[in-house]
Amino acid sequence: MAYSADFEKALQVGRPPNIRQLFPNSKALIVSGKVIDRAMIAKGKAITMAANGRNYFVVRGALMAAQRANAPIIIEIAKSEGGQKAYCAVNYWNMARIVDALCNELGITVPVAIHADHYGIKNDKDLASAKVEIPTMFEAGITSIAIDASHLPDDQNLLANLAINPFIPKWAGLETEVGEIKGSTGLSTVDEALFLIRGLNAHDIHADWIALNNGTTHGIEASDAGIQVGLTAAIHKALAPYKINGAQHGTSGNSSDRLRQIAAETVTTKANVATALQMISWGLEVNDYGNAQLDSDGNFIKVPGQGMTEELWAEMVKYANDKGWKKGDYKNLNLPFENKMLALPKEVRDRMAKRVEDFAFKMLTEVFNAKDTAPLAIEAILKAGSHDIGPKGSRIENPAEWTEAKIVEKAKNISGDKGAAGNFDD
């Protein structure tokens, strides 16, 4: 196929060193997450999808949707989904290879970032292992990462972010998080968000995104009453001097209108979509906002002739029942059934990816306002003349005021409710 001159130039200068080394002859424009963020800022009131590639068909369908929408996209996997204790076959170490192969096969010309989402740090042991593990992930093609130490007290969250930062390439997209994603309890506050971002700024660390607990949850939602737009907007406004954008987690289960509101009224540029895409690829009935529907007996509804075969779905349901799994546990079917899905006939595999494509295309163009933002991403690369387009913000805080001792002291003045205890991983 013929490629534009701008694409060819972006391919030469825009791919980070790890990607160039892994895929020296590739025509896939795999870029830093920073590039995607800048494209959304350039359009204004635009968000791109960060598609959690829980299976091959989600990745394939999301890439096809991005190409069709002429929008850059982020393909991601969280630590729980694709880390060392993964429940998905797609993981931190093979995701870039899958994306690169698909981009070349499908002729994808929109920029794509490879994001390690929710890299959780919950204690000193996690922090020590992160210093070893994170470099291996970048060696395997990750181009963007979310450090999630939100489970820790505010001072420890900030200190963990500071400790791990030297192990993240400066050119990479960077997301940080305040407030564990756990629904209507433990909501993030302006004070907590400012504390984290001011502390990072003092150490010359300029995250591209901040994720909040703004009222949403991971997984299956019972209703569309999730994201608190007003709270999100207030926190984003307070953070404006630091030039950081929002990452919206837990979009599955929030209505299209709510998500349009997030795009219009906040400075969010990244929205994670995980459970919805998984369910859609499988062929389950979902509503407007990607929430899987249940029948009168409380079971998922498989749409005949869509997604996987009815036979394979019956096998998966039996497997889940034998394990005593609840509806929220069905995500654990990804790993044991990935190869069975890949072994389905081509027409079945194609319709699984196509179903994801159609849903993701609609979200990108009709909900997130991301249509035709790919040229803006390429423009950002060409303007920088490099894979490293630099930070948005600059240091405005005094480092002397943000030593470890002062961080611990300042944190004592933050009031906030951490909410219920429990496992709130993706």
Side-chain angles (χ1 to χ4, degrees):
M1 64 177 287
Y3 296 94
S4 73
D6 281 353
F7 175 84
E8 291 282 10
K9 189 171 180 185
L11 199 64
Q12 291 302 313
V13 302
R15 298 195 308 151
N18 59 341
I19 296 299
R20 291 200 307 270
Q21 184 172 350
L22 284 169
F23 314 117
N25 305 308
S26 176
K27 287 286 190 179
L29 187 52
I30 296 177
V31 300
S32 165
K34 291 182 189 299
V35 172
I36 316 289
D37 175 52
R38 300 303 166 80
M40 300 305 120
I41 294 168
K43 181 167 186 180
K45 302 189 185 305
I47 301 174
T48 198
M49 177 183 291
N52 287 57
R54 288 185 180 175
N55 64 47
Y56 168 87
F57 306 96
V58 168
V59 179
R60 188 181 185 97
L63 290 172
M64 293 191 298
Q67 184 70 17
R68 190 168 141 201
N70 195 27
I73 196 166
I74 298 167
I75 303 295
E76 67 179 22
I77 207 82
K79 192 177 187 180
S80 56
E81 297 167 319
Q84 291 188 34
K85 298 176 181 178
Y87 61 77
C88 299
V90 180
N91 60 52
Y92 283 153
W93 298 276
N94 67 16
M95 186 163 56
R97 297 181 184 280
I98 293 168
V99 169
D100 183 78
L102 282 170
C103 285
N104 282 282
E105 176 201 338
L106 299 168
I108 303 296
T109 56
V110 298
V112 183
I114 312 293
H115 184 76
D117 196 41
H118 279 297
Y119 188 88
I121 297 175
K122 299 184 179 181
N123 49 49
D124 288 341
K125 185 181 175 185
D126 285 349
L127 187 58
S129 64
K131 293 174 181 179
V132 177
E133 187 175 62
I134 286 175
T136 73
M137 292 154 51
F138 280 95
E139 287 160 12
I142 293 295
T143 66
S144 183
I145 190 168
I147 299 301
D148 178 9
S150 63
H151 313 76
L152 298 172
D154 291 302
D155 54 346
Q156 297 306 308
N157 182 1
L158 172 53
L159 291 169
N161 272 266
L162 294 175
I164 204 62
N165 194 259
F167 299 87
I168 300 168
K170 291 292 184 191
W171 53 259
L174 178 62
E175 181 178 335
T176 190
E177 184 164 331
V178 63
E180 225 180 326
I181 309 299
K182 57 174 70 170
S184 59
T185 66
L187 293 174
S188 302
T189 67
V190 169
D191 284 349
E192 286 176 307
L194 268 173
F195 174 82
L196 176 60
I197 300 309
R198 288 181 69 200
L200 292 175
N201 180 274
H203 291 265
D204 221 13
I205 297 169
H206 310 282
D208 301 286
W209 300 287
I210 185 169
L212 312 169
N213 178 12
N214 56 359
T216 189
T217 62
H218 293 131
I220 301 166
E221 286 274 9
S223 74
D224 69 342
I227 300 166
Q228 295 195 18
V229 181
L231 171 66
T232 309
I235 292 175
H236 288 181
K237 185 178 179 182
L239 296 175
Y242 304 93
K243 294 183 165 57
I244 186 166
N245 290 81
Q248 181 58 56
H249 290 200
T251 58
S252 301
N254 284 274
S255 70
S256 294
D257 286 342
R258 183 72 56 86
L259 297 175
R260 287 188 193 98
Q261 216 182 337
I262 282 284
E265 298 177 24
T266 74
V267 292
T268 302
T269 59
K270 172 183 183 281
N272 299 2
V273 188
T275 306
L277 299 180
Q278 166 195 281
M279 299 303 200
I280 286 160
S281 73
W282 290 352
L284 303 192
E285 185 177 307
V286 298
N287 61 11
D288 163 62
Y289 40 96
N291 217 18
Q293 301 297 281
L294 304 177
D295 64 17
S296 56
D297 296 323
N299 298 315
F300 291 124
I301 302 165
K302 171 70 172 65
V303 183
Q306 294 206 28
M308 68 181 68
T309 60
E310 276 59 60
E311 292 78 11
L312 183 56
W313 175 244
E315 188 181 336
M316 287 172 67
V317 171
K318 182 181 185 304
Y319 185 97
N321 288 341
D322 289 348
K323 295 274 189 184
W325 286 349
K326 298 176 182 176
K327 295 296 173 283
D329 298 323
Y330 269 56
K331 62 190 180 184
N332 295 304
L333 292 166
N334 281 287
L335 187 58
F337 282 90
E338 177 85 356
N339 289 354
K340 292 199 174 200
M341 287 188 267
L342 291 170
L344 291 166
K346 184 176 187 301
E347 62 269 21
V348 177
R349 301 195 313 270
D350 285 349
R351 77 189 188 196
M352 290 174 73
K354 178 65 175 165
R355 201 165 189 248
V356 173
E357 177 194 343
D358 290 343
F359 181 86
F361 174 78
K362 185 178 179 184
M363 284 198 84
L364 285 167
T365 57
E366 297 180 21
V367 180
F368 290 156
N369 188 34
K371 185 174 172 56
D372 293 328
T373 47
L376 299 173
I378 289 174
E379 193 177 298
I381 293 168
L382 298 183
K383 184 179 178 183
S386 169
H387 64 277
D388 184 359
I389 62 175
K392 289 176 290 193
S394 57
R395 183 152 67 185
I396 53 181
E397 296 291 336
N398 181 0
E401 291 299 313
W402 291 90
T403 61
E404 182 171 348
K406 290 192 175 182
I407 285 169
V408 172
E409 199 57 38
K410 286 178 194 288
K412 293 176 182 175
N413 298 319
I414 299 173
S415 59
D417 170 25
K418 293 295 183 186
N423 181 6
F424 295 96
D425 280 347
D426 239 336

